[in-house]
Amino acid sequence: MISQATQIALSDQCLTWRQDGRTQSLPDMNLTDGASLGVMGPSGCGKSSWLRCLLGETLSYVQFSGRIAIAGKDVSRLPIEQRGIGILMQDNPLFPHYSVAKNLAFALQRQGLTKAAQKQVIETQLAELGLADMAERLPGQLSGGQQARIGLLRTVLAEPALVLLDEPFNALDAERRQQVRDWTFNFLRERGIAAIIVSHQADDLSLVDQQLYWPDIAVEQPCEARTK
Amino acid sequence: MIKRIGWGTLVGALMISLGLPWVFVLQGLPFNLPTPTAQLWHYPGIASALRDSLVVGLVASCISLFIASIIIGRDATHGKPKTNDVGLTFAAPHLAFAIAFLWLFTPFGWFDRVLPFALPWFEQQSLVTLITILVFKETPFLVVLGRQQLAQLPYRQWILQGRSVGTSAQRSWWLIVFPAWLKAMRLVLIAVAIYTVSVVDVAQVTGPLNPPLLAPLVVNWQLQFDPLSQQLAEQGTWLLMGLAGMMALWVIAQELVLRCLMSARVGRVVAQSYEAAVALATSIIRRASLIALLGVSTAACIALIALTFARGWFYPSVLPLEWSIASWSAHNDLLLQRLGTTLSIGLVVAVLATMAITALREWQRHHRYEINDAWLLAALFVPQLSLVVAWLHSDWSQWFSNDTASVVMAHFWFSFAYGYLIYAPAERAVPQTHLTLGRSLGFGYWRSWWWFKRPLLTGALAHCLLVTLLVSVAQYVPTLLLGAGRTPTLTTELVALSSGGEWQLPAMFATALWLLALVSLVLTQIISKEPEL
């Protein structure tokens, strides 16, 4: 039974690698509004694949089973666009052939706003980030930090209940990495959006509310059998 | 120093072989412009020829792009793209396909015998027939090249990001990936548009006759030696280049309009019922197109083979009076001779072009210098006929006094451009790491390439060989005009035979052409699937 105070609840999660039949159970996870969970583990352990599965992507090499509940509603069978889960990727956070404003407009289409209202929202949000004069620029004309911030803004403008961050600071140099990281966590917390961030760097997870080290148990046993 | 000379000699020789034909074009292009008072404008039916040529170019290239976009859109949104679904039609030589299409679908053709008057649109020589055949042939070309260009874009990531902010997969394709894909396809689309507006062989066999399209008209003038016809040919050449320029501008304008259209739809609210209707419509169009491509190509292939064994297959009989190998026995000498010439030239051209393309790509990677693709593909942006006519007026024949050498050189030049279109995107996607690593282990550049980079490019190299071979096999205008009739190939023979009322002999040559292409395609598939070391 999921408590009403818990916004996001992930339970009975199991990953099965199709090639060799290995399985990996993950502990149940609960996140309230604005809370963040950091998942750490070595490269190639399956963290990013797990995030893709939470998002709803079907992967050819791994199968995900489990329940993803948002405000008590199981969304695990819904298509990506209806889950209410956003993602920020490490590379190409923005569509390079569209201006910043157009990139942000993609996230507003569900809200039924007029073009004028969309423009107003975009201008206001960019101004809040101190990027007011960037609206008509192409992503290629922005710095890595600016791209990361606008990428996150786009994700957030779609009003997701949960944001997935897949090694989001990898493309940044050390100094900028810390700035953008601090800003990201504050930004999500202020807006009350839960987040799961995976990284192989401990520093990236210094501000999260919960931490999980990626379990390294992987056995040749079906998920059903493991959960019994 | 030795390495420098090696690269320098290699690339220098290549640049000369690619650049020299342009020198001959500049030298031989007759400056007899179609001014407002030119003789050309008084030629009966010239206005219709111009209008019809433009209609063929615009309609065939637009429909092909539309269908290819829908097929590729499905690839982009549904996992791994299929690779063999258009192979049969892609490999079919234009002319062989056209001959079979005519016999199947025109009045008194095979379908007319089974279902009389069911297909009233395809007259023996008409615009509709020509446009349909070009759409059938250009769509698979765009699909194959389009898939290569798509693979260069991070389209999966874009669609995933689009979906994560609430845009459906299909809408993400049209709004996010399609504009970028269209831009990446610009040069290919220009090449297709120019080909369709200036096609000669297929237009001669299936296009309107009275008046014909501009390109066949120019060939007719060129083949007559009276001064007036030669003057008309010279002016017609320029007119054809004007049409090609218009087509190139059209492709660029079309791209801009479509990209603006897609951009304007970003952020717009779309009803789910509308999205569902679009999804259903595109799914139907995609399935119908693929079924039509595969169905018509299979039927055409079978029809050609059947025609060669048939005796007494007269209208309205659905089947011939008897099957016999008499025709093959009677003409096998001629056929084998032409097949031998076609295959020899094709193989020499394919191997030379593939080696040249590989060397040029490696030189660019090695020196971290990218030559703009437009320069290397320029042969595709000028009507082939205009180029060949210019060569005929230049010192080309003094440099290449041997007819076969002249034909091989021209085939190489055109095949190089098509091969580069196929190979370059695949090569760009392969990192140099393995090659560099090999060199650090003491392997020379090309030895390292062979052992460490080539295995990653087996498929691309095989497809490059296939396409350059097919392009050479299908060459008509350069073979006819530069070879002066002394280097007859399956293609030139087939065009000559198609002008008569007889079906069997053209069918034999068309079958031989298609089988040659099919065998090459199957070999390519086998080589591409070989486990890589």
Side-chain angles (χ1 to χ4, degrees):
Chain A
M1 187 73 186
I2 298 161
S3 133
Q4 285 304 307
T6 304
Q7 179 71 4
I8 313 292
L10 310 176
S11 53
D12 302 332
Q13 298 178 88
C14 186
L15 294 166
T16 306
W17 272 265
R18 292 182 209 271
Q19 197 178 7
D20 53 12
R22 281 182 306 130
T23 62
Q24 192 151 28
S25 280
L26 294 166
D28 291 352
M29 300 164 194
N30 296 313
L31 285 164
T32 51
D33 289 346
S36 54
L37 166 69
V39 181
M40 203 166 76
S43 296
C45 67
K47 307 182 302 287
S48 293
S49 302
W50 170 61
L51 279 196
R52 298 290 176 107
C53 293
L54 292 182
L55 184 69
E57 190 179 7
T58 310
L59 301 175
S60 59
Y61 56 91
V62 68
Q63 188 181 3
F64 174 81
S65 62
R67 190 166 189 273
I68 305 165
I70 294 179
K73 184 186 170 195
D74 186 357
V75 298
S76 55
R77 291 184 189 280
L78 294 179
I80 299 172
E81 54 270 29
Q82 291 171 21
R83 286 193 177 198
I85 299 178
I87 192 164
L88 185 67
M89 293 167 175
Q90 53 178 301
D91 301 320
N92 306 314
L94 299 170
F95 307 131
H97 46 296
Y98 278 120
S99 67
V100 166
K102 283 285 176 193
N103 261 282
L104 296 175
F106 270 100
L108 296 172
Q109 63 187 13
R110 269 201 301 214
Q111 296 165 22
L113 301 174
T114 61
K115 287 266 179 188
Q118 282 183 11
K119 195 174 174 220
Q120 183 65 45
V121 170
I122 289 166
E123 280 173 1
T124 310
Q125 296 290 337
L126 284 175
E128 275 183 27
L129 295 191
L131 300 169
D133 53 344
M134 304 286 172
E136 295 312 317
R137 291 204 188 171
L138 288 171
Q141 297 169 309
L142 306 176
S143 69
Q146 288 169 331
Q147 285 193 38
R149 281 191 284 165
I150 291 167
L152 186 63
L153 176 61
R154 188 184 64 186
T155 307
V156 166
L157 283 180
E159 299 180 340
L162 172 67
V163 169
L164 309 173
L165 301 139
D166 184 7
E167 312 258 11
F169 315 120
N170 270 12
L172 306 173
D173 58 56
E175 191 188 348
R176 200 167 295 273
R177 189 179 182 112
Q178 191 186 340
Q179 282 175 4
V180 175
R181 184 178 61 212
D182 295 351
W183 174 84
T184 299
F185 283 109
N186 287 333
F187 186 76
L188 289 170
R189 198 164 288 145
E190 279 170 13
R191 295 182 180 226
I193 297 171
I196 297 178
I197 170 170
V198 299
S199 177
H200 63 277
Q201 288 216 6
D203 288 356
D204 287 348
L205 308 182
S206 55
L207 297 174
V208 297
D209 301 312
Q210 306 171 49
Q211 280 203 17
L212 171 75
Y213 196 85
W214 188 257
D216 56 358
I217 309 157
V219 293
E220 292 175 22
Q221 200 177 16
C223 284
E224 293 81 358
R226 288 178 55 77
T227 53
K228 277 177 190 169
Chain B
M1 187 65 186
I2 292 167
K3 277 180 192 169
R4 276 179 182 280
I5 291 168
W7 275 118
T9 313
L10 193 68
V11 175
L14 186 55
M15 284 304 179
I16 288 171
S17 62
L18 292 176
L20 200 58
W22 285 115
V23 176
F24 290 131
V25 169
L26 291 176
Q27 184 201 5
L29 205 56
F31 284 94
N32 190 351
L33 297 171
T35 54
T37 55
Q39 196 72 35
L40 181 80
W41 303 115
H42 302 294
Y43 190 83
I46 188 71
S48 306
L50 268 176
R51 182 199 60 208
D52 290 352
S53 298
L54 266 180
V55 167
V56 169
L58 289 172
V59 177
S61 56
C62 283
I63 296 177
S64 303
L65 171 63
F66 175 67
I67 299 172
S69 306
I70 285 176
I71 293 174
I72 298 216
R74 161 83 184 191
D75 285 355
T77 52
H78 287 76
K80 203 177 175 188
K82 288 180 180 172
T83 48
N84 299 326
D85 51 359
V86 294
L88 185 66
T89 328
F90 175 73
H94 280 71
L95 208 52
F97 183 84
I99 299 288
F101 189 93
L102 289 181
W103 192 79
L104 282 172
F105 299 112
T106 52
F108 309 108
W110 193 78
F111 270 98
D112 200 31
R113 302 173 193 193
V114 181
L115 298 166
F117 308 113
L119 296 168
W121 318 287
F122 304 118
E123 288 295 328
Q124 183 90 21
Q125 299 229 243
S126 71
L127 272 188
V128 176
T129 309
L130 174 61
I131 289 171
T132 309
I133 289 169
L134 287 175
V135 167
F136 265 98
K137 278 301 301 160
E138 296 315 304
T139 302
F141 180 75
L142 288 181
V143 169
V144 171
L145 272 286
R147 280 177 175 155
Q148 283 212 324
Q149 295 296 342
L150 183 69
Q152 309 307 308
L153 301 171
Y155 68 97
R156 287 179 207 277
Q157 218 175 13
W158 288 351
I159 289 177
L160 202 64
Q161 286 177 13
R163 293 183 73 187
S164 75
V165 292
T167 312
S168 70
Q170 183 186 248
R171 201 167 149 77
S172 294
W173 153 253
W174 287 113
L175 297 192
I176 304 167
V177 185
F178 178 72
W181 176 79
L182 198 61
K183 189 179 175 190
M185 287 288 285
R186 188 187 294 163
L187 295 182
V188 177
L189 291 170
I190 289 176
V192 166
I194 290 174
Y195 170 77
T196 52
V197 87
S198 61
V199 61
V200 176
D201 49 0
V202 181
Q204 272 183 347
V205 176
T206 69
L209 274 181
N210 202 8
L213 300 186
L214 182 63
L217 205 53
V218 174
V219 172
N220 288 345
W221 290 328
Q222 183 63 37
L223 289 174
Q224 292 162 33
F225 293 100
D226 58 289
L228 178 63
S229 296
Q230 287 296 307
Q231 223 179 37
L232 288 172
E234 289 169 4
Q235 292 166 0
T237 299
W238 282 99
L239 206 53
L240 208 52
M241 288 204 285
L243 288 190
M246 284 169 76
M247 291 305 296
L249 288 177
W250 160 255
V251 170
I252 293 166
Q254 173 187 252
E255 180 195 318
L256 287 175
V257 168
L258 285 172
R259 293 179 69 184
C260 286
L261 217 61
M262 296 303 156
S263 176
R265 298 188 73 80
V266 172
R268 194 173 288 180
V269 186
V270 181
Q272 277 200 338
S273 55
Y274 173 78
E275 280 218 52
V278 172
L280 182 68
T282 51
S283 172
I284 291 171
I285 293 169
R286 187 188 67 86
R287 279 170 194 271
S289 306
L290 286 174
I291 289 170
L293 285 172
L294 187 66
V296 172
S297 303
T298 310
C301 204
I302 294 169
L304 280 180
I305 295 170
L307 261 174
T308 64
F309 291 107
R311 288 191 73 176
W313 206 346
F314 302 115
Y315 186 83
S317 304
V318 175
L319 289 173
L321 291 174
E322 60 172 322
W323 300 103
S324 157
I325 58 162
S327 185
W328 284 100
S329 315
H331 301 289
N332 67 352
D333 280 351
L334 177 70
L335 194 68
L336 285 174
Q337 218 175 17
R338 300 291 179 264
L339 182 65
T341 312
T342 309
L343 197 56
S344 317
I345 294 176
L347 284 175
V348 168
V349 166
V351 171
L352 282 178
T354 304
M355 284 169 63
I357 290 164
T358 309
L360 194 58
R361 280 303 317 155
E362 286 309 316
W363 180 80
Q364 291 178 77
R365 285 296 283 268
H366 185 63
H367 290 84
R368 291 190 176 80
Y369 177 76
E370 280 285 324
I371 302 172
N372 192 319
D373 280 358
W375 291 108
L376 299 170
L377 304 177
L380 306 181
F381 306 143
V382 182
Q384 191 185 50
L385 181 58
S386 304
L387 295 169
V388 176
V389 168
W391 290 338
L392 288 172
H393 286 89
S394 72
D395 290 341
W396 173 284
S397 58
Q398 287 170 24
W399 278 67
F400 305 102
S401 52
N402 180 296
D403 294 327
T404 309
S406 174
V407 169
V408 167
M409 179 62 197
H411 284 206
F412 166 82
W413 204 64
F414 292 113
S415 297
F416 177 92
Y418 281 103
Y420 196 84
L421 264 182
I422 292 281
Y423 182 77
E427 195 276 335
R428 284 191 186 110
V430 171
Q432 282 301 75
T433 328
H434 301 90
L435 193 146
T436 310
L437 207 65
R439 295 182 73 197
S440 76
L441 297 173
F443 287 73
Y445 191 95
W446 287 106
R447 239 183 114 214
S448 182
W449 179 88
W450 179 262
W451 287 107
F452 305 114
K453 187 171 175 183
R454 182 199 50 84
L456 304 173
L457 288 166
T458 307
L461 284 165
H463 278 94
C464 185
L465 274 169
L466 172 76
V467 168
T468 45
L469 174 72
L470 293 182
V471 170
S472 167
V473 164
Q475 290 303 306
Y476 171 65
V477 170
T479 319
L480 178 78
L481 298 181
L482 296 173
R486 287 187 288 271
T487 317
T489 60
L490 286 173
T491 300
T492 55
E493 201 75 57
L494 181 53
V495 176
L497 291 169
S498 303
S499 56
E502 216 257 325
W503 280 105
Q504 194 164 46
L505 204 52
M508 284 178 63
F509 279 82
T511 305
L513 261 179
W514 204 331
L515 287 180
L516 177 63
L518 269 182
V519 169
S520 312
L521 178 71
V522 171
L523 283 175
T524 305
Q525 299 289 350
I526 292 169
I527 294 169
S528 302
K529 277 182 188 163
E530 229 176 55
E532 287 166 355
L533 297 171

